Amino acid sequence: PTNTEGEYDAFHIRRGDFQYKQTKISAVDIDKNSESELTEGATVFIATDEKKKDFFGPLRAKYDILFLDDFKNLIADLDPN
């Protein structure tokens, strides 16, 4: 997807430290629950503790997905926590 309009959204998706397992939903469900609020092709920043970034594949198919790791070369002494 290309974002020619400069649209931007963000998620904070915690996956690793929840006490209740039912709070973990699939990326397909995240997409379904948010698609009415997002514009296909928009840039979406995801702040997450999910180690396997391919988990977000269903979102990547529709949006320009970025993570904090994508900026670590631009920010000296970046703390991923």
Side-chain angles (χ1 to χ4, degrees):
T2 58
N3 184 2
T4 59
E5 300 298 317
E7 293 196 42
Y8 166 84
D9 284 289
F11 285 107
H12 182 198
I13 300 174
R14 296 176 73 167
R15 304 264 314 145
D17 61 353
F18 278 123
Q19 178 180 359
Y20 303 103
K21 300 299 179 200
Q22 67 272 22
T23 61
K24 286 187 178 183
I25 64 173
S26 72
V28 170
D29 287 338
I30 293 168
D31 182 35
K32 279 190 224 174
N33 291 340
S34 60
E35 67 186 353
S36 67
E37 301 297 324
L38 303 176
T39 301
E40 193 162 337
T43 298
V44 177
F45 175 77
I46 300 177
T48 186
D49 60 350
E50 175 61 55
K51 301 290 186 219
K52 298 177 183 174
K53 299 302 190 274
D54 60 341
F55 168 82
F56 298 102
L59 294 165
R60 213 180 265 284
K62 294 170 70 175
Y63 311 105
D64 180 20
I65 301 296
L66 296 170
F67 301 98
L68 183 61
D69 292 346
D70 294 316
F71 301 97
K72 65 183 175 184
N73 63 322
L74 301 173
I75 305 169
D77 301 320
L78 179 67
D79 182 355
N81 293 316

